[in-house]
Amino acid sequence: MFVIPCKYNPNFPFIIQLVKDIRTYHPTEKIVVVDSDSEDKSYFDKLRKYDVIIEDVKNKNWMIGAYWWAFKKYPNEEYYFFMHDSMRVKDNLDYLKENDLTTMMYFNRDIGNFNTWGNYITENSEYVYNNNGNGCYGPIFFCKNKVMRKMLEKGADKFLPNNKTETGYCEGCYGFFLENQGYNLTECALFGDVFEIHSPSGKSGLPPHKTDWEFPIEKFYASHVDNNRL
C-alpha cells in the first residue's frame, strides 16, 4: 500500500503526477491519499479514475498523522510505502519489499533541535529515548507491517506534529524509533547522508537542491516552486 498525505494546491498538483507515476509501475497496488484539510478538494475527482482510496479526514498532523491514520484503518497490509506528495516514482519498487525497512536518507540527529521530544517520548511511551544516532529524513520510509506494529505497541503513534517545526522533531524521533528495533539507518537508506548530499560538493548541492538524479524514487522540494509550501 502507498500512503500519501496531501494539502492540495491546484496551481501545483503534485499529487496527480505522483499517482500517475505509481499507477505506471504499480497498476494494482492500493493507493491511499489522506487529505490534510485542503481548502480545494477538486483533486478528489481527478484521482478517482486511478482507483485511489481517498480519506477525507481533515488531517492536521502532517505526514505522521496521515501515516498512522492509514495504518490503523488498514492494519493488515503486508508492506507500506509512506511518502510525501512532492515525490516521483520512476520505476517499480517491489524489490524494496524484500527489506524490512528502506529510507531515503539519514542524518546525525544529535544536532540542532531534532531531539527536542526526547524527554517527552520517554515520559509518555515505553521508549527510553537516546539522543545519539541518526534521524530519518522526511520522515519518509517504506516498511513491512511488523515495523509499524512494533512502533504502535511502544506508543510511537502518540507523537504527532502540529506544525513544520515539529515535523523536524519527528525526523529525529523516527530515526530513534527505527533504530530501537535494531535497524541501521546508514544501511537502510537509498541515498546516504542528507547533509552530505546537500552540501556544496554533494549530488544535490545547495538550495535550490537538484534532485532529478534520485532513482528509483525522487523527493523534490515543493517549496522551491510553491511559495505556500513550508
Side-chain angles (χ1 to χ4, degrees):
M1 172 182 280
F2 288 84
V3 178
I4 313 163
C6 180
K7 181 80 170 180
Y8 185 66
N9 181 343
N11 296 316
F12 301 97
F14 304 126
I15 185 66
I16 307 299
Q17 183 59 59
L18 175 55
V19 167
K20 288 180 180 179
D21 289 348
I22 294 170
R23 276 289 169 255
T24 297
Y25 299 107
H26 295 270
T28 61
E29 195 90 38
K30 289 180 183 175
I31 303 174
V32 174
V33 172
V34 180
D35 184 72
S36 294
D37 204 18
S38 300
E39 294 181 7
D40 184 334
K41 299 183 180 181
S42 61
Y43 77 104
F44 288 5
D45 290 334
K46 297 176 182 178
L47 291 184
R48 288 193 176 97
K49 66 179 179 180
Y50 298 105
D51 194 25
V52 172
I53 301 168
I54 300 169
E55 297 292 345
D56 185 9
V57 297
K58 296 181 172 60
N59 171 48
K60 296 182 183 298
N61 299 116
W62 296 67
M63 74 295 291
I64 298 299
Y67 297 171
W68 283 114
W69 176 274
F71 179 73
K72 290 177 180 179
K73 185 166 183 180
Y74 306 96
N76 299 315
E77 296 298 314
E78 177 182 353
Y79 202 90
Y80 299 86
F81 293 90
F82 294 112
M83 307 174 70
H84 295 189
D85 64 345
S86 51
M87 297 179 72
R88 297 293 308 270
V89 172
K90 302 177 179 180
D91 203 351
N92 184 280
L93 304 177
D94 281 343
Y95 76 98
L96 295 177
K97 297 178 184 178
E98 297 176 6
N99 305 319
D100 287 2
L101 172 70
T102 299
T103 67
M104 293 198 68
M105 291 178 270
Y106 64 89
F107 58 90
N108 177 6
R109 69 172 177 268
D110 191 18
I111 58 173
N113 61 2
F114 293 109
N115 288 320
T116 297
W117 277 355
N119 290 337
Y120 178 50
I121 289 168
T122 298
E123 294 168 359
N124 293 278
S125 71
E126 295 185 18
Y127 290 106
V128 177
Y129 195 84
N130 182 355
N131 287 338
N132 298 317
N134 288 309
C136 177
Y137 169 76
I140 298 166
F141 56 99
F142 320 132
C143 67
K144 290 183 179 179
N145 183 291
K146 66 179 182 179
V147 176
M148 290 296 286
R149 193 161 299 281
K150 288 179 181 178
M151 285 196 284
L152 180 63
E153 290 171 355
K154 299 195 77 168
D157 62 313
K158 299 175 184 178
F159 310 105
L160 303 175
N162 293 296
N163 53 57
K164 177 65 173 177
T165 299
E166 292 180 353
T167 66
Y169 305 165
C170 288
E171 288 181 298
C173 68
Y174 271 79
F176 163 74
F177 295 152
L178 296 169
E179 288 181 334
N180 184 262
Q181 293 189 34
Y183 298 111
N184 184 335
L185 297 193
T186 65
E187 297 176 354
C188 295
L190 286 172
F191 304 130
D193 185 325
V194 65
F195 292 138
E196 292 182 4
I197 290 169
H198 289 175
S199 70
S201 60
K203 288 185 177 180
S204 291
L206 297 175
H209 304 297
K210 180 181 179 181
T211 58
D212 58 358
W213 60 270
E214 295 175 6
F215 185 90
I217 190 164
E218 176 187 353
K219 169 66 179 80
F220 60 89
Y221 288 85
S223 59
H224 293 167
V225 294
D226 180 358
N227 293 328
N228 291 323
R229 293 286 285 253
L230 299 177

